Amino acid sequence: MNGTDDGISRWRRVADELRSAVSMGEFADQLPPETELASRFGVNRHTVRRAIAALSVEGLLRAERGRGTFVRAVPQRIVYPIGARTRFSENMMRQSLEPSGRLIQADIVAADATQARLFGCRMGAPLHRLERLSVVEGAPLSRSTSWFSADRFPGIIAAYAESGSITKAFLQEGLADYRRKETRLTAERITARDAEFLQCAADSIVLVSRALDVDAEDRTVQSVVTRFLADRMELVFANPSEQS
């Protein structure tokens, strides 16, 4: 670990590595002593304590005075398949989980250069922008921002507000089927606003999916950016040859 990092960077890096080690099953029940961890990561004991405190707030660890630091039972990640027909509600119900969607905010925006290229429209064309929260079994899992053509789908926001499902909203707007054309994935630190909605630690990691959905004529119907909590979701990319 780079000794020139500032203190905040060091404890966050220690926390990230400890989180990874726990998720991989390296520490089944209890962490090694602080002195051993400090030597392992090349930091002082204060930095280790700060990392442990942060992971305790997340619910991953439990520190007991005089006994040490213990690993809490880690909830199993929810598997989320990514394929040609990625459907949140269907994915969850196949796992006997109860999904729901919540509308956070909706407005109409003017297409910028990027969105105009994606939708094949002129710059300034009206787009519906939808902010939503996806919840499973009462726990928030992801926050998404979607864009739709306001000319083609004038009532999609109201349809989503009624059904809580993008697929059902499309159907109500006359689109019976659509497919995922591409998904680009990155890992980023969560923003303060997303942390508030997803009810997680301020330094959590999110998997950010930037995706494009198209109709049978390959016309864009939805551009969507989704932030998945990395410690609650496992994204699985399907083999295209096995997709229907």
Side-chain angles (χ1 to χ4, degrees), residues 22 25-32 60-62 68-73:
V22 169
E26 181 177 345
F27 307 125
D29 300 306
Q30 186 174 4
L31 263 61
L60 187 65
L61 302 177
R62 182 185 75 255
T69 302
F70 296 85
V71 178
R72 293 182 185 272

Side-chain angles (χ1 to χ4, degrees), residues 18-209:
L18 283 175
R19 188 187 297 107
S20 177
V22 169
S23 68
M24 296 296 291
E26 181 177 345
F27 307 125
D29 300 306
Q30 186 174 4
L31 263 61
E34 289 179 358
T35 52
E36 186 176 325
L37 292 173
S39 176
R40 169 175 172 165
F41 296 119
V43 298
N44 58 42
R45 291 179 64 182
H46 176 75
T47 300
V48 170
R49 288 195 196 103
R50 190 166 184 185
I52 289 174
L55 295 179
S56 297
V57 171
E58 290 183 23
L60 187 65
L61 302 177
R62 182 185 75 255
E64 295 186 12
R65 185 180 295 275
R67 297 191 61 209
T69 302
F70 296 85
V71 178
R72 293 182 185 272
V74 180
Q76 186 175 5
R77 285 183 173 89
I78 292 176
V79 175
Y80 190 83
I82 302 284
R85 283 174 170 76
T86 298
R87 307 289 190 266
F88 176 75
S89 296
E90 292 177 15
N91 282 345
M92 296 302 102
M93 288 189 289
R94 286 195 193 102
Q95 301 176 60
S96 300
L97 298 171
E98 184 62 34
S100 64
R102 177 180 137 205
L103 192 155
I104 298 173
Q105 182 179 350
D107 53 11
I108 293 182
V109 298
D112 60 17
T114 299
Q115 295 295 349
R117 176 179 56 81
L118 293 176
F119 282 92
C121 64
R122 60 179 173 80
M123 284 185 60
L127 299 177
H128 284 299
R129 181 173 59 189
L130 171 65
E131 295 271 353
R132 68 186 190 276
L133 186 70
S134 294
V135 177
V136 172
E137 301 290 326
L141 295 182
S142 66
R143 182 169 177 243
S144 302
T145 306
S146 296
W147 292 264
F148 313 89
S149 168
D151 293 332
R152 184 175 180 185
F153 304 113
I156 196 164
I157 300 300
Y160 176 80
E162 179 182 345
S163 66
S165 164
I166 293 294
T167 300
K168 291 179 181 177
F170 271 138
L171 186 60
Q172 191 168 321
E173 287 289 283
L175 180 65
D177 192 25
Y178 62 99
R179 65 179 175 84
R180 178 61 50 89
K181 182 175 183 178
E182 68 175 32
T183 301
R184 299 173 183 267
L185 194 65
T186 58
E188 302 173 13
R189 287 202 179 275
I190 199 166
T191 65
R193 183 166 170 78
D194 282 342
E196 178 182 354
F197 280 105
L198 295 175
Q199 301 173 16
C200 62
D203 62 342
S204 295
I205 300 297
V206 287
L207 301 175
V208 182
S209 162

